[in-house]
Amino acid sequence: MSTRVDGDAAGSARPGGVKLDRVVIRFAGDSGDGMQLTGDRFTSEAAAFGNDLSTMPNFPAEIRAPQGTIPGVSSFQVHFADYDILTPGDRPDVLVAMNPAALKANIADLPAGGTLIVNTDEFVKRNLTKVGYDANPLDDDSLAPYQVHQVAMATLTQGALADTGLGKKDAERCKNMFALGLLSWMYHRPTEGTERFLREKFAKKPDIAEANVLAFRAGYYYGETTEAFAVTYQVAPAKLATGTYRQITGNTALAYGIVAAGQQSKLPVLLGTYPITPASDILHELSKYKQFGITTFQAEDEIAGICAALGASYGGALGVTSTSGPGVALKSETIGLGVMTELPLLVIDVQRGGPSTGLPTKTEQADLLQAMFGRNGESPVPVVAPQSPADCFAAAIEATHIALKYRTPVLLLSDGAIANGSEPWLIPDVADLPDLSVEFATEPNAPDGTFWPYLRDQETLARAWAVPGTPGLQHRIGGLEKADGSGNISYDPDNHDRMVRLRQAKIDGIEVPDLTVDDPSGKARVLVLGWGSSYGPIGAAARRVRKLGHAVAQAHLRNLNPFPKNLGDVLKSYDKVVVPEMNLGQLALLLRGRYLVDVISYTKVAGLPFKAEELQDVLTDIVKGVDAA
Amino acid sequence: MTAIDLGLPGLSGLAGVPTADEPQKAKDYKSDQEVRWCPGCGDYVVLNAVQSFLPSLGLKRENIVFVSGIGCSSRFPYYMNTYGMHSIHGRAPAIATGLATARPDLSVWVVTGDGDALSIGGNHLIHTLRRNVNLKILLFNNRIYGLTKGQYSPTSETGKVTKSTPMGSLDHPFNPVSLALGAEATFVGRALDSDRKGLTEVLRQAAEHRGSALVEIYQNCPIFNDGAFDVLKEPDEAAQRLVNLEHGKPIRFGKGDDGAGEFGVIRSGFGSLDVAKVSEVGEDAIVVHDAHTPDPSYAFALSRLSAQDLSHTVTGVFRSVQRPTYDDLARAQVEDAKASKPADLQSLLRGKDTWTVV
Ligand code: SF4
């Protein structure tokens, strides 16, 4: 397969440079230094060039943490390659440190021999003391293991902008674009896209736009003219499957999935929500797409958000609510009402570090049991978890499909890592999207000629759904237990037992695809099983283990409730099953309880994704142990 | 209907709700469910009043929805032959907001109580009122928790001895009308459960109001708080205490020799109102009720005429003003977007910056 890249975003790049197959770059600076924008632009350049890529933003929960301090450090890591990669990379090959705090917070991650580019202008006594440096690390030999490039970025930027008439402060603010320009030169990146982007972004302030473009170019030319950077690098486009791609974050993909679900079901969408990190971007995104019949309601609290969504569903719309773990806790009573009234409802939990307020901007997978069981009574709901940023699109459509077909709230578990991370997305053809249309009840269905809202479809066990406005089908629903069939209030013990079992059977019977196992050798005796956003690091680790000559099988769960029908058989066909999770073993608990398989739970709850390296070590040890036995 | 254009933004609260082909009767609104409130409960009277009143609106029954929370009164939807949802404690206004926003062709009613609306659901109540969502909220105020068997509520008078407060309750009560006005509700009314005529009139105006309408209904709970409103029901007492409002009429009450009412409401102090003998202050001093006064302070002052002792209990429509409704505006934004931008999913997914691998 030949790889040629074109499209709106494609840009040409300067030829030459030492060929590399992959590079990880981390931009780190103060929250006010524009590191997220810088990283984002570098990513777009990589995308425009046709690399495969994966990104990991990391920023403080405080909007303006004290300047120049360690808690105020914001960073953006981008991994780009000429082959299909799975993670944002464990460690950077290149670290760009805009100030002493950024250096101190990140240097431990840079492997010996790695490239370090520092903005020397910030390495003054005051800033050094602020973060506990007794001596300037640029002056002693503490950075000897690295290839250090000292660049006075602020001074150089101010010099480049001297003739623009821009104030010193404003000029200094463009130093992130200087850094971007320098890195773009080092890695032979196309530059047209960034210049176009800057002119569009600052369209209302042309002088600022020009200043940023000038700073960007100054960085690029600095690389070219100074002798300091003897070597440049080239990462060729990746040989991805043919088709048209774009770069996308998890939250954007999720929002698009909801738009698509509304279109494919031909239902208006009402998102009832309350701002919460890291889910707010779903609200921001959807509020832009009213032309698709989407109403976004920013409610007074989490509870009102989901209640409005449920009210809209009751009226025959697609009700959606988006939140993070603390919000799910508040919404749980309404999810229970959705279970009881058997109405479709999409509940999105973009998980973050917990418990309580926890780590709002960090990632975790610790809401699985909350999603499964966090309600009073026997209250089963389907749970779907996307495995990567781009996968959020398909996951949203799948979750909606289940909600509408089976008339049930569905929990979609994303997390901070995939919500803010990005990767290339093979843009789907709308013609290939599934039809999600629903049939509302229009006629009486009961033996007595009336309408019974709790008569079920024999195959799906979904109840009849008649929306207000349908003549002759007036009925009442609510949170009290229903009589099987008629839906009238019932306190009958046998009826309750039957209804509890019916609700459970409905969820258990949801059709989900069988679990597929990836085992290229066909000889693996160890299976590594994950769910959600850990797909990337687990996959990368499995590849590495295989490269070392060991056999390991990998499978990943997208459906956590119900589990795929073949899961038990899969688990039982391996000597050992390893389950890595960013929690204290929640999936492991479910697997042991359900299948009586003593899986090996490997857990880490650091607020950061797994590193492929650590999982590689864990898997290698286990595989070796099994082989030796 | 008046033939003269008053310049009011004149959409009815029922605009867009389809009307019935046939005339209706009260029994058309009775469901097949047996009503299960305690004997003598005020809820029966209100249910009957609502069932008798709805036919006059002439709406299709299937386009009427009652949404309730939790509490004795929240059983109401089960007894109505309309669509209905008996939801969870305090959340009915939020559920109804989603429903009313999604469906302009429905007449949406919320049935709630003093505990449901003012305690656990207080937040949703005030936000619904400030947004002015087109829904009607019937707040049954019996000043007690009935369903949980008799604890004091946020409208119980201070010092109330109940199961949970053997030495008397400590908290200062809410005045629901004052609270609603503080949230700048566009329509606020009050009625007594036993006053079928007065209640029906307030309900009629509420139904026709486009926006959130809060109707406080004083409702007797014979089991846990019997006689809470008896002073308003005994004819001699009532005449001295009940101040009934009629838009455009001087606010007078009490027996009076001329039949026009011995007492009247006058202005006093910093924007507040007081009660005086008409014979002492003169007819010209009596305030003429204007429910359309834009500033809610006037209606608020009316709501403060008496404390919780019911010494001067104002009933009728305190305030009825026009303000765009949240749901109309939300739908208008969607319609504007549809008219100005194509709903092209493929081009949305494609976005601006793409590249092709061939
Ligand atoms: S407890 Fe009171 S309010 Fe509740 S049904 Fe009985 S009488 Fe009515």
Side-chain angles (χ1 to χ4, degrees):
Chain A
M1 180 177 54
S2 75
T3 303
R4 188 171 64 76
V5 174
D6 55 28
D8 320 349
S12 52
R14 193 175 87 251
V18 175
K19 290 213 169 354
L20 296 176
D21 60 350
R22 53 176 283 263
V23 176
V24 178
I25 298 177
R26 185 184 297 176
F27 296 92
D30 194 67
S31 309
D33 283 345
M35 290 299 97
Q36 300 304 320
L37 177 72
T38 310
D40 211 45
R41 275 323 305 167
F42 194 90
T43 308
S44 296
E45 291 176 0
F49 192 60
N51 296 127
D52 194 10
L53 58 91
S54 175
T55 69
M56 178 170 64
N58 191 357
F59 41 84
E62 294 77 16
I63 302 305
R64 291 272 179 273
Q67 212 184 351
T69 60
I70 302 254
V73 172
S74 161
S75 70
F76 189 103
Q77 181 161 311
V78 48
H79 183 186
F80 59 107
D82 70 357
Y83 63 97
D84 66 311
I85 50 167
L86 298 170
T87 76
D90 289 355
R91 295 165 186 287
D93 302 303
V94 182
L95 172 64
V96 180
M98 301 300 283
N99 67 5
L103 179 70
K104 186 142 200 188
N106 289 283
I107 191 68
D109 290 342
L110 190 67
T115 302
L116 171 66
I117 301 173
V118 282
N119 169 28
T120 52
D121 287 324
E122 289 290 319
F123 282 69
V124 296
K125 184 125 204 319
R126 199 169 147 266
N127 294 349
L128 291 164
T129 337
K130 211 185 262 183
V131 296
Y133 276 124
D134 294 331
N136 188 343
L138 303 180
D139 297 338
D140 59 28
D141 59 359
S142 60
L143 299 177
Y146 313 108
Q147 302 177 47
V148 184
H149 298 282
Q150 303 196 17
V151 186
M153 293 191 205
T155 310
L156 287 163
T157 305
Q158 280 165 347
L161 302 185
D163 297 339
T164 60
L166 213 62
K168 236 179 150 190
K169 255 228 129 85
D170 280 340
E172 199 254 18
R173 242 183 236 147
C174 299
K175 65 180 184 296
N176 61 331
M177 285 301 112
F178 182 96
L180 179 64
L182 176 56
L183 270 290
S184 302
W185 176 81
M186 280 177 74
Y187 288 92
H188 291 254
R189 302 282 94 189
T191 56
E192 302 93 320
T194 294
E195 298 199 1
R196 196 175 54 222
F197 167 85
L198 289 171
R199 293 209 165 94
E200 274 174 28
K201 181 174 166 71
F202 298 109
K204 290 201 184 110
K205 297 180 190 157
D207 50 333
I208 300 285
E210 279 321 299
N212 275 285
V213 170
L214 275 180
F216 176 66
R217 286 186 187 163
Y220 196 92
Y221 297 143
Y222 176 81
E224 204 162 68
T225 47
T226 167
E227 309 255 302
F229 298 88
V231 197
T232 61
Y233 303 92
Q234 178 75 270
V235 177
K239 295 167 194 62
L240 299 176
T242 57
T244 300
Y245 288 80
R246 62 176 286 175
Q247 180 203 342
I248 199 158
T249 66
N251 273 348
T252 305
L254 203 42
Y256 286 1
I258 292 164
V259 176
Q263 295 290 292
Q264 297 304 103
S265 62
K266 300 176 199 73
L267 297 180
V269 175
L270 189 138
L271 173 78
T273 189
Y274 187 77
I276 186 171
T277 304
S280 305
D281 279 342
I282 299 170
L283 164 63
H284 304 160
E285 201 61 29
L286 283 176
S287 64
K288 293 189 275 187
Y289 305 131
K290 297 193 164 59
Q291 70 271 28
F292 292 97
I294 292 174
T295 305
T296 50
F297 172 60
Q298 183 177 315
E300 58 271 26
D301 60 25
E302 295 280 358
I303 300 173
I306 188 173
C307 281
L310 188 70
S313 281
Y314 174 61
L318 171 58
V320 182
T321 191
S322 53
T323 187
S324 187
V328 175
L330 287 163
K331 293 177 196 293
S332 51
E333 189 188 11
T334 312
I335 299 174
L337 180 64
V339 168
M340 201 62 158
T341 52
E342 303 193 38
L343 286 169
L345 182 67
L346 179 58
V347 181
I348 296 160
D349 175 3
V350 184
Q351 299 164 96
R352 65 191 216 185
S356 188
T357 311
L359 302 171
T361 59
K362 308 294 182 219
T363 194
E364 206 160 286
Q365 295 181 298
D367 294 352
L368 175 58
L369 294 183
Q370 176 176 235
M372 289 289 293
F373 304 118
R375 292 164 295 284
N376 60 309
E378 294 289 350
S379 181
V381 295
V383 181
V384 176
Q387 65 180 28
S388 72
D391 187 41
C392 288
F393 178 79
I397 292 179
E398 183 181 343
T400 307
H401 173 68
I402 294 174
L404 291 171
K405 182 171 174 186
Y406 296 91
R407 325 276 204 245
T408 175
V410 176
L411 253 298
L412 190 153
L413 291 181
S414 176
D415 67 36
I418 51 182
N420 292 317
S422 67
E423 65 177 352
W425 179 39
L426 180 58
I427 300 165
D429 189 337
V430 169
D432 297 337
L433 297 178
D435 177 15
L436 305 181
S437 44
V438 282
E439 272 185 39
F440 296 122
T442 52
E443 299 292 333
N445 58 358
D448 63 0
T450 64
F451 176 70
W452 284 12
Y454 281 75
L455 279 183
R456 294 171 190 279
D457 178 286
Q458 284 311 298
E459 238 164 71
T460 61
L461 295 182
R463 76 172 182 89
W465 183 16
V467 298
T470 315
L473 306 194
Q474 292 95 298
H475 64 278
R476 277 64 54 191
I477 58 175
L480 285 170
E481 183 60 286
K482 307 279 168 291
D484 184 16
S486 75
N488 291 331
I489 301 172
S490 168
Y491 300 111
D492 177 66
D494 292 339
N495 176 75
H496 178 56
D497 185 71
R498 183 172 165 70
M499 289 300 278
V500 167
R501 287 171 203 280
L502 267 171
R503 285 186 287 264
Q504 185 67 47
K506 179 175 84 168
I507 304 306
D508 290 347
I510 291 171
E511 274 180 58
V512 304
D514 268 351
L515 184 68
T516 55
V517 179
D518 174 41
D519 175 17
S521 70
K523 289 189 206 132
R525 294 167 64 193
V526 173
L527 170 74
V528 55
L529 178 72
W531 68 276
S533 76
S534 52
Y535 173 77
I538 295 175
R543 282 184 186 175
R544 291 179 184 202
V545 173
R546 288 169 193 155
K547 255 196 192 152
L548 295 173
H550 304 295
V552 64
Q554 187 202 351
H556 208 73
L557 283 170
R558 175 205 207 79
N559 299 97
L560 282 312
N561 198 31
F563 285 132
K565 301 238 166 352
N566 66 336
L567 177 58
D569 291 341
V570 169
L571 293 176
K572 285 173 182 139
S573 55
Y574 290 89
D575 292 0
K576 295 260 188 245
V577 178
V578 190
V579 180
E581 293 178 84
M582 295 186 282
N583 57 46
L584 294 182
Q586 301 193 1
L587 174 62
L589 178 76
L590 295 176
L591 296 174
R592 286 175 184 150
R594 181 75 56 87
Y595 301 104
L596 295 177
V597 170
D598 188 20
V599 301
I600 301 169
S601 175
Y602 177 75
T603 64
K604 186 154 185 187
V605 209
L608 294 168
F610 285 116
K611 289 187 166 35
E613 188 181 279
E614 66 177 310
L615 293 180
Q616 171 194 346
D617 293 346
V618 170
L619 293 179
T620 310
D621 281 354
I622 293 169
V623 171
K624 277 187 182 162
V626 168
D627 287 348
Chain B
M1 282 294 284
T2 163
I4 303 162
D5 180 9
L6 298 175
L8 291 169
L11 255 197
S12 157
L14 303 170
V17 184
T19 48
D21 306 327
E22 305 277 327
Q24 300 165 340
K25 294 212 174 66
K27 74 167 175 34
D28 295 329
Y29 281 94
K30 294 190 176 24
S31 78
D32 59 357
Q33 301 296 300
E34 188 194 337
V35 185
R36 290 206 193 149
W37 288 306
C38 310
C41 176
D43 291 355
Y44 283 98
V45 201
V46 184
L47 177 66
N48 284 335
V50 171
Q51 285 170 335
S52 309
F53 146 77
L54 281 176
S56 72
L57 297 180
L59 304 174
K60 287 203 150 118
R61 277 179 307 173
E62 62 266 26
N63 288 79
I64 301 175
V65 185
F66 281 84
V67 183
S68 64
I70 294 292
C72 292
S73 58
S74 287
R75 295 294 179 95
F76 199 95
Y78 289 115
Y79 309 136
M80 297 295 299
N81 189 1
T82 62
Y83 281 86
M85 190 198 283
H86 176 212
S87 75
I88 46 180
H89 209 7
R91 317 301 170 200
I95 292 172
T97 293
L99 180 63
T101 303
R103 295 287 303 272
D105 60 328
L106 302 178
S107 172
V108 181
W109 297 71
V110 167
V111 176
T112 182
D114 40 320
D116 193 55
L118 301 172
S119 210
I120 195 166
N123 198 31
H124 308 308
L125 182 76
I126 57 175
H127 287 276
T128 301
L129 296 177
R130 87 173 157 85
R131 284 190 191 102
N132 199 29
V133 184
N134 189 25
L135 46 87
K136 317 302 152 203
I137 303 170
L138 309 185
L139 195 166
F140 291 47
N141 183 5
N142 56 14
R143 305 180 79 176
I144 198 78
Y145 282 80
L147 195 66
T148 50
K149 304 203 171 144
Q151 301 82 9
Y152 77 109
S153 90
T155 55
S156 297
E157 58 281 13
T158 307
K160 190 158 191 80
V161 174
T162 70
K163 261 191 200 129
S164 62
T165 50
M167 294 170 71
S169 65
L170 302 173
D171 14 339
H172 183 73
F174 266 141
N175 174 333
V177 168
S178 301
L179 182 78
L181 290 165
E184 293 189 49
T186 53
F187 184 102
V188 182
R190 183 191 278 149
L192 270 178
D193 57 359
S194 53
D195 175 16
R196 166 78 70 104
K197 190 161 154 276
L199 174 59
T200 304
E201 178 54 22
V202 175
L203 291 177
R204 186 187 63 75
Q205 291 191 41
E208 278 166 13
H209 174 74
R210 193 157 194 88
S212 296
L214 181 105
V215 180
E216 183 190 19
I217 303 169
Y218 282 160
Q219 172 243 323
N220 190 39
C221 167
I223 305 297
F224 296 111
N225 201 17
D226 196 20
F229 304 106
D230 275 3
V231 288
L232 303 176
K233 295 178 180 174
E234 193 277 310
D236 282 340
E237 282 281 345
Q240 303 301 311
R241 291 169 181 264
L242 274 179
V243 184
N244 193 42
L245 300 171
E246 271 186 80
H247 179 69
K249 298 250 172 78
I251 310 173
R252 293 179 66 165
F253 66 102
K255 280 208 170 128
D257 301 334
D258 55 356
E262 179 184 1
F263 300 101
V265 171
I266 56 163
R267 303 199 178 271
S268 97
F270 295 102
S272 54
L273 299 173
D274 213 340
V275 168
K277 274 202 164 155
V278 180
S279 59
E280 285 170 14
V281 295
E283 277 185 36
D284 289 350
I286 306 303
V287 173
V288 174
H289 181 49
D290 180 5
H292 306 326
T293 307
D295 184 348
S297 315
Y298 159 67
F300 188 84
L302 279 174
S303 77
R304 308 310 294 175
L305 272 180
S306 83
Q308 296 291 304
D309 59 3
L310 308 175
S311 58
H312 297 118
T313 299
V314 181
T315 59
V317 176
F318 288 69
R319 173 174 163 87
S320 173
V321 299
Q322 295 283 338
R323 188 168 80 221
T325 72
Y326 176 85
D327 48 312
D328 281 336
L329 293 174
R331 286 187 296 265
Q333 281 194 342
V334 170
E335 290 314 313
D336 282 356
K338 281 182 178 169
S340 61
K341 292 184 226 166
D344 181 347
L345 180 59
Q346 190 67 62
S347 108
L348 172 73
L349 301 187
R350 197 173 183 284
K352 269 204 276 186
D353 293 334
T354 64
W355 69 95
T356 303
V357 176
V358 288

